[in-house]
Amino acid sequence: MLEGYEKKRNFEKTQEPGPSAGPEGTGSLRFVVQMHNARRLHYDLRLECEGVLKSWAVPKGPSLNPKDKHLAVMTEDHPLTYQHFEGQIPKGEYGGGEMIVWDEGTYEPDDDGILLFLDRDEAQKNIREGIAKGKLSLTFRGHKMKGSWALVKMKTKGNDWLILKHKDGKESETDDLTKLDRSVLSDRTVEDIRDGKAGKGRYDHIREFKGAVAGPLPTATTPMLTKEVEKPFSKPDWSFELKLDGIRVLAFRDQNRVRLVSRTGHDITQKFPGLVEELRSLPANSFVLDGEIVLFDEAGKPTFQGLMKRFQLQSAIDIKHWDAQGTVDFIVFDLPYLDGADLRKCAYSDRREALETFAPATRTIRVLDSFPETGELLYEHATKLGLEGIIGKKNSSTYQSGTKSGDWVKIKGYHSEEFIVGGYTPGLGARSNTFGALLVGRYEGSEFVYCGNVGGGFSDDQLVAYRKMLDESKIKETPFNGPVEAKGKPVWIQPKLWAEVKFMTWTEEKRLRFPVFVRFRPDLEAPITQSKEEEEHEDSVLDQLANTKDDLTVKVEGYDIKLSSLNKVLWPATEDTAAVTKRDLIMYYVKVAGPMLQHLKDRPVSIVRYPEGLGGESFFQKHLDKGAPAYVEKVLIWSNHNERARDWLLVNNLPTLVWMGQMSSLEIHPWYSRTSQEPDGHELGINFSETDETLDESTLNFPDFMVCDLDPYIRSGKEAAGAEPELNRPAWLRVIEVAKTLRDLLTALGLRSYVKISGKTGLHVYVPLRRVYDYHEVRLMCETIGRHVMAQMPEDVTMEWKVAKRPAKVFFDHNQNVRGKTLSACYSPRAAPGATVCLPIKWEELESTYPDQFNIFTVPDRLAAVGDVWAQIDSDRQELPLGK
């Protein structure tokens, strides 16, 4: 394809790129226009297509006037690398003279201005066929060329074409594009090239902004948030934007790796594969873009309901089919980082200039318009158009991750908040077959508190569709803590569905005044209720697992999960316990999912995997650097050891628990701290991945509880040399006495404590805490308590770190209270004979309990009989008696 290009050039003399083709790009197709001062000045239009640049020489350049039909002579194909070339071609060589990159960007075929929503392969096929037919209609998104143009081959023989502008709202009979004579890469003119002037780097001036810092790409950050104010305003030092109704997203690109992270820190990259490819096609190696993923309806207004239909698609086929019909757009409004320059400490006005210089523009990406000073006028237009409102940004504001400083504000046409639906009332009259009102609430601490009834704002079609959806989540008992005001007998549903509600104000009784339903928010996640999981759904998963096939695909909460080797034995049989298979493990995880997920929610975890079962090799997995299914949530956490952030797993849903079983995860070990700010961490940060300092200030540095790990080093006499002590009754009785002494000391200090058998030989005593103490403070307090216990029981307790100095004593380990350390989770199985389980019990049960009596076969029945002991910890927040 490049034979003509190679034949015309002597590459020992010219600095033009060699004739190698490719590599193929990704995302939107790119174009370049080079201003070329050869025998006479002209413009070379080049279109990326199938690994080369299809090229036309345009003597007069492109015109915005639809009446102008400028000649465009098709020339030889050029290599893709030519799109970045500017410089001096030696005299006497083909095309000798100066050349600059006059414009560049992305393009795609259209049908006389109507976008075809083609994927990359189809778009290139369309270009190839259009060239063969002699007619192309193209939409350009460049710095200078914007909108739709036509390229039409003339009927005369040869390679003569015409280029003309379509009437699409971007045409002009007065503006002359050719007066813009500087390179978009280096800001040079062809005269500067001839005079040998050095050009500027594309982003050099951005790196000189006040506050810009040279540094690596932030592996994660949290978006800057807005504070709601009542009335619009106009101020000279403020800029204003339309408030769009979509999903807030930070887009990270590091070379070829792209990640999309939601406002709440969830990785949603796999939800939008097309957008990922578009981001890879942008002309920068690394960046962080802040914006909103939006779906526009036929009238050009954001439709959140339509966006949620797209967001909830799971299969790659369904996503590709949807995106072939129309796209979701990524509307960008801030640029915290670009190619080595951290811009978060720069003024918003400078970041906005950087964003417009970068000018990300593809089929699905564009920059949101910003309007200086005139907030009141923009608000008036926004409300007339039926939009949510506007956003105001102080021009001098820095980018303050995860905060509502008041430098960014939102002004909405109404006040709204999100609430969780806990039930509905029966409908009367015309609504007798649907429902009357939604019963909504919110969590205050661990309590789900009733807030009011929402009966307005529904269409007839919505009433029918939502009734069907609500009935899929029915439960038997009220999920609310406290009374509910309802006409008729309410129908209760599992509190997992968020609804946005607009309302006038709050009443004195803390009820919503004049609430109206706006929409459901399936992109948000509700807390998991304690022991109120949907029984019918659990049964359906267990029914699927009852199939005796070795390999199965099961559907869990809408996800298809492939399971293999289900009959493989993971725990061999013992004298008292049958062999345990992978199927048994997965079924156990399903049965205890309610309380186990309550304990694991938002905690980074480590897992112990035994792919071949207990007798085979095992490994301890902390990080998730490779891909994972879409339902598996992750969090990036800074590692000083690695000098970068690493992905950690979160076990936040039932599909992830099932996946854990498929990976033969015999143990799950969570942190003592959580990523969530609820209910008592709103003053703490959620920036976990940039530096050790930001991690120190985050929720992950403030544990929910202090842990006293009691580990008996009292041997039975049957252990092999060097082996850990095995479970034996004298050791167990000793550790019980130490635990009781510890409990009494904690009680004397005014602290409530909870006990958990480890499933092996020891005990874990937990003291729930308010998150006002960091790990260092908690560890020091635990050490002090341990030394008091040791002073009371010097013959029984040791805190010696060296194993050799712990003979026949119970080791009190206070050093478990360190950030990043983990203990086996409540309800986690243990990699020990008999598939024992790490289980919270009541203090009064301790003396009648022996560690190996609970295993994955007996624990589910225990939970059904006596309930979930551990659930109390979520509502039992305490402060340490540091003054006592």
Side-chain angles (χ1 to χ4, degrees):
M1 297 175 70
L2 295 173
E3 293 85 355
Y5 174 83
E6 182 177 13
K7 186 175 181 180
K8 292 179 178 180
R9 289 163 177 81
N10 183 343
F11 294 102
E12 293 182 357
K13 294 182 179 181
T14 183
Q15 295 181 352
E16 295 167 276
S20 58
E24 278 282 345
T26 61
S28 292
L29 298 170
R30 298 200 64 80
F31 82 94
V32 65
V33 179
Q34 284 155 319
M35 190 175 180
H36 190 180
N37 190 28
R39 285 183 298 170
R40 57 180 180 176
L41 186 68
H42 66 277
Y43 298 78
D44 292 317
L45 168 64
R46 311 192 196 281
L47 308 177
E48 177 191 1
C49 183
E50 298 181 329
V52 297
L53 296 173
K54 301 292 183 181
S55 300
W56 287 261
V58 184
K60 293 184 179 181
S63 172
L64 293 173
N65 190 343
K67 297 178 181 178
D68 292 339
K69 299 180 181 179
H70 287 179
L71 178 66
V73 181
M74 193 170 190
T75 63
E76 74 279 6
D77 293 342
H78 284 53
L80 286 179
T81 48
Y82 209 95
Q83 62 186 304
H84 307 298
F85 174 73
E86 62 179 31
Q88 181 90 39
I89 301 173
K91 289 185 178 180
E93 289 299 301
Y94 178 77
E98 301 81 30
M99 179 180 285
I100 62 170
V101 176
W102 179 79
D103 196 14
E104 66 161 9
T106 64
Y107 83 97
E108 64 184 299
D110 61 42
D111 186 3
D112 293 330
I114 301 174
L115 295 178
L116 302 178
F117 296 108
L118 303 175
D119 64 24
R120 185 180 176 86
D121 292 338
E122 289 177 313
Q124 292 182 112
K125 179 182 177 183
N126 184 287
I127 297 299
R128 185 180 67 247
E129 293 175 350
I131 291 174
K133 292 177 182 178
K135 183 179 179 181
L136 292 170
S137 184
L138 309 169
T139 289
F140 292 92
R141 297 184 181 87
H143 297 262
K144 299 168 185 175
M145 289 184 69
K146 302 178 188 293
S148 181
W149 262 269
L151 275 165
V152 182
K153 190 174 183 181
M154 299 175 68
K155 294 182 180 180
T156 56
K157 293 183 179 181
N159 293 317
D160 291 349
W161 294 56
L162 297 175
I163 183 170
L164 61 150
K165 184 76 180 68
H166 284 140
K167 292 183 178 180
D168 59 356
K170 294 182 173 64
E171 73 278 4
S172 172
E173 295 185 6
T174 57
D175 293 338
D176 184 357
L177 284 179
T178 62
K179 289 183 178 179
L180 304 173
D181 61 351
R182 290 190 172 273
S183 165
V184 296
L185 290 186
S186 65
D187 200 41
R188 291 183 291 181
T189 63
V190 290
E191 290 79 10
D192 291 336
I193 297 284
R194 185 175 60 239
D195 295 341
K197 290 185 178 180
K200 298 179 181 178
R202 184 197 297 261
Y203 306 128
D204 279 0
H205 72 290
I206 293 173
R207 297 184 178 92
E208 296 172 0
F209 286 157
K210 182 180 178 181
V213 178
L217 176 79
T219 49
T221 188
T222 49
M224 186 169 175
L225 304 176
T226 57
K227 182 177 289 186
E228 188 170 354
V229 297
E230 291 186 3
K231 296 181 180 179
F233 58 91
S234 299
K235 287 185 179 180
D237 56 339
W238 284 72
S239 296
F240 298 88
E241 304 163 353
L242 292 174
K243 186 179 187 305
L244 300 178
D245 204 6
I247 300 172
R248 182 78 176 277
V249 165
L250 289 175
F252 297 82
R253 178 179 173 186
D254 186 5
Q255 301 301 323
N256 203 41
R257 186 191 184 202
V258 172
R259 290 184 300 113
L260 303 176
V261 179
S262 73
R263 181 186 68 186
T264 52
H266 295 107
D267 191 314
I268 59 172
T269 309
Q270 295 180 345
K271 296 272 188 185
F272 300 99
L275 175 56
V276 169
E277 294 305 311
E278 299 285 69
L279 290 163
R280 284 198 182 106
S281 74
L282 295 179
N285 292 319
S286 58
F287 54 75
V288 179
L289 287 170
D290 188 357
E292 198 95 2
I293 292 180
V294 182
L295 179 67
F296 293 96
D297 63 17
E298 293 180 356
K301 292 172 57 177
T303 165
F304 192 82
Q305 185 176 2
L307 178 60
M308 287 301 97
K309 291 179 181 178
R310 167 63 180 80
F311 182 78
Q312 290 174 307
L313 296 179
Q314 304 296 340
S315 76
I317 294 175
D318 289 342
I319 290 173
K320 186 173 183 180
H321 177 73
W322 178 294
D323 290 349
Q325 310 304 314
T327 63
V328 290
D329 293 316
F330 184 40
I331 311 301
V332 181
F333 44 71
D334 212 316
L335 182 64
Y337 181 91
L338 179 64
D339 269 359
D342 190 331
L343 307 177
R344 286 172 292 179
K345 297 299 183 183
C346 297
Y348 166 72
S349 55
D350 286 339
R351 296 197 310 276
R352 181 74 197 190
E353 181 182 335
L355 180 61
E356 292 175 354
T357 299
F358 183 30
T362 70
R363 179 165 65 110
T364 62
I365 304 171
R366 65 177 185 269
V367 176
L368 182 64
D369 291 332
S370 179
F371 302 89
E373 301 185 20
T374 56
E376 291 160 308
L377 181 61
L378 185 63
Y379 180 81
E380 181 182 344
H381 283 293
T383 51
K384 284 181 179 178
L385 291 171
L387 301 179
E388 269 197 285
I390 63 172
I391 301 291
K393 298 179 179 179
K394 197 171 185 179
N395 292 333
S396 60
S397 62
T398 59
Y399 194 90
Q400 300 155 60
S401 297
T403 62
K404 296 182 180 181
S405 69
D407 288 341
W408 285 16
V409 299
K410 59 185 174 185
I411 307 100
K412 299 200 291 188
Y414 55 85
H415 180 74
S416 72
E417 290 184 26
E418 286 87 20
F419 298 90
I420 301 171
V421 181
Y424 65 84
T425 60
L428 300 174
R431 290 193 179 185
S432 59
N433 294 324
T434 56
F435 62 90
L438 300 177
L439 306 176
V440 301
R442 62 184 180 182
Y443 278 91
E444 295 181 2
S446 63
E447 293 194 342
F448 184 44
V449 178
Y450 168 74
C451 295
N453 299 357
V454 183
F458 301 100
S459 68
D460 291 341
D461 290 342
Q462 285 176 326
L463 287 167
V464 174
Y466 294 162
R467 168 64 185 269
K468 183 178 179 182
M469 178 183 67
L470 293 168
D471 283 347
E472 292 175 353
S473 298
K474 286 196 293 187
I475 56 178
K476 297 176 181 178
E477 299 177 0
T478 175
F480 294 101
N481 298 94
V484 170
E485 301 166 7
K487 294 181 179 180
K489 186 177 180 181
V491 177
W492 308 116
I493 69 166
Q494 186 181 356
K496 63 181 181 179
L497 180 64
W498 287 93
E500 183 178 349
V501 179
K502 62 181 179 181
F503 58 100
M504 183 74 71
T505 186
W506 290 92
T507 69
E508 292 181 359
E509 295 79 19
K510 295 186 178 180
R511 301 287 187 263
L512 300 176
R513 180 175 171 82
F514 302 127
V516 177
F517 174 82
V518 178
R519 62 197 176 178
F520 285 122
R521 292 293 304 267
D523 58 316
L524 300 180
E525 292 190 358
I528 298 171
T529 57
Q530 299 172 4
S531 68
K532 290 187 178 178
E533 294 299 295
E534 185 180 2
E535 295 177 4
E536 294 84 355
H537 177 75
E538 176 184 301
D539 290 342
S540 70
V541 179
L542 294 175
D543 288 343
Q544 295 174 74
L545 288 166
N547 188 316
T548 58
K549 290 183 178 179
D550 201 37
D551 297 337
L552 286 176
T553 297
V554 297
K555 186 173 287 293
V556 185
E557 295 184 355
Y559 293 97
D560 290 329
I561 303 177
K562 292 182 179 180
L563 305 177
S564 60
S565 304
L566 287 170
N567 298 318
K568 178 184 290 184
V569 173
L570 298 181
W571 281 271
T574 68
E575 291 182 5
D576 302 316
T577 310
V580 179
T581 64
K582 183 190 286 190
R583 186 191 314 275
D584 295 325
L585 173 64
I586 296 173
M587 293 180 79
Y588 169 76
Y589 278 145
V590 173
K591 290 174 181 177
V592 301
M596 191 172 188
L597 288 172
Q598 178 69 31
H599 178 56
L600 293 173
K601 180 72 173 174
D602 296 323
R603 300 186 192 280
V605 301
S606 303
I607 54 178
V608 183
R609 296 175 58 187
Y610 282 78
E612 300 304 320
L614 195 58
E617 293 186 3
S618 66
F619 58 96
F620 194 76
Q621 184 171 351
K622 288 184 176 182
H623 305 296
L624 191 71
D625 293 327
K626 295 183 178 179
Y631 48 78
V632 177
E633 298 177 25
K634 296 165 285 185
V635 61
L636 273 168
I637 303 176
W638 177 259
S639 167
N640 262 348
H641 176 73
N642 295 285
E643 295 187 341
R644 64 184 178 95
R646 303 285 300 275
D647 268 322
W648 286 72
L649 285 163
L650 297 174
V651 183
N652 282 355
N653 53 53
L654 180 58
T656 302
L657 260 185
V658 172
W659 183 62
M660 288 283 160
Q662 165 60 20
M663 294 197 302
S664 300
S665 302
L666 304 197
E667 295 188 0
I668 301 175
H669 296 242
W671 286 32
Y672 315 150
S673 50
R674 294 177 291 121
T675 59
S676 172
Q677 293 174 311
E678 297 294 336
D680 57 354
H682 292 284
E683 302 302 317
L684 303 175
I686 51 175
N687 187 346
F688 314 120
S689 61
E690 292 186 15
T691 65
D692 209 46
E693 288 73 23
T694 58
L695 186 55
D696 285 343
E697 297 169 359
S698 76
T699 58
L700 283 181
N701 197 42
F702 290 79
D704 293 292
F705 34 74
M706 176 174 68
V707 179
C708 306
D709 184 10
L710 305 180
D711 199 359
Y713 273 76
I714 302 165
R715 298 179 177 274
S716 68
K718 300 177 182 178
E719 296 89 352
E724 289 285 307
E726 64 178 25
L727 178 63
N728 63 87
R729 191 161 293 278
W732 178 245
L733 294 176
R734 188 87 60 87
V735 81
I736 287 176
E737 291 307 312
V738 174
K740 289 164 60 179
T741 300
L742 170 61
R743 178 198 59 192
D744 294 344
L745 175 59
L746 292 169
T747 301
L749 292 171
L751 294 172
R752 294 173 297 281
S753 58
Y754 299 82
V755 65
K756 180 183 73 168
I757 58 173
S758 70
K760 289 190 175 179
T761 63
L763 285 172
H764 304 151
V765 176
Y766 286 75
V767 179
L769 300 174
R770 288 188 59 229
R771 288 189 288 179
V772 293
Y773 314 101
D774 62 22
Y775 273 102
H776 178 67
E777 292 170 315
V778 173
R779 186 182 67 82
L780 290 178
M781 184 64 181
C782 190
E783 180 181 10
T784 301
I785 290 171
R787 298 204 180 281
H788 277 285
V789 174
M790 189 169 61
Q792 291 184 43
M793 305 181 72
E795 300 301 318
D796 299 303
V797 178
T798 180
M799 297 181 73
E800 286 288 350
W801 186 247
K802 292 183 178 180
V803 174
K805 294 185 178 181
R806 304 179 195 167
K809 290 186 179 182
V810 175
F811 176 50
F812 187 111
D813 187 359
H814 70 285
N815 282 310
Q816 288 289 352
N817 297 281
V818 173
R819 187 175 72 208
K821 282 202 171 187
T822 60
L823 278 181
S824 52
C826 294
Y827 316 104
S828 172
R830 301 308 306 269
T836 52
V837 171
C838 193
L839 185 70
I841 62 173
K842 297 177 182 179
W843 274 109
E844 54 266 31
E845 297 178 283
L846 183 56
E847 293 190 62
S848 61
T849 296
Y850 200 61
D852 64 359
Q853 75 186 75
F854 296 115
N855 56 50
I856 71 169
F857 296 122
T858 59
V859 165
D861 291 337
R862 172 189 165 82
L863 293 180
V866 302
D868 177 19
V869 176
W870 192 255
Q872 300 171 63
I873 196 169
D874 264 355
S875 58
D876 197 4
R877 307 284 167 180
Q878 306 171 88
E879 293 192 12
L880 290 171
L882 297 180
K884 296 184 181 180

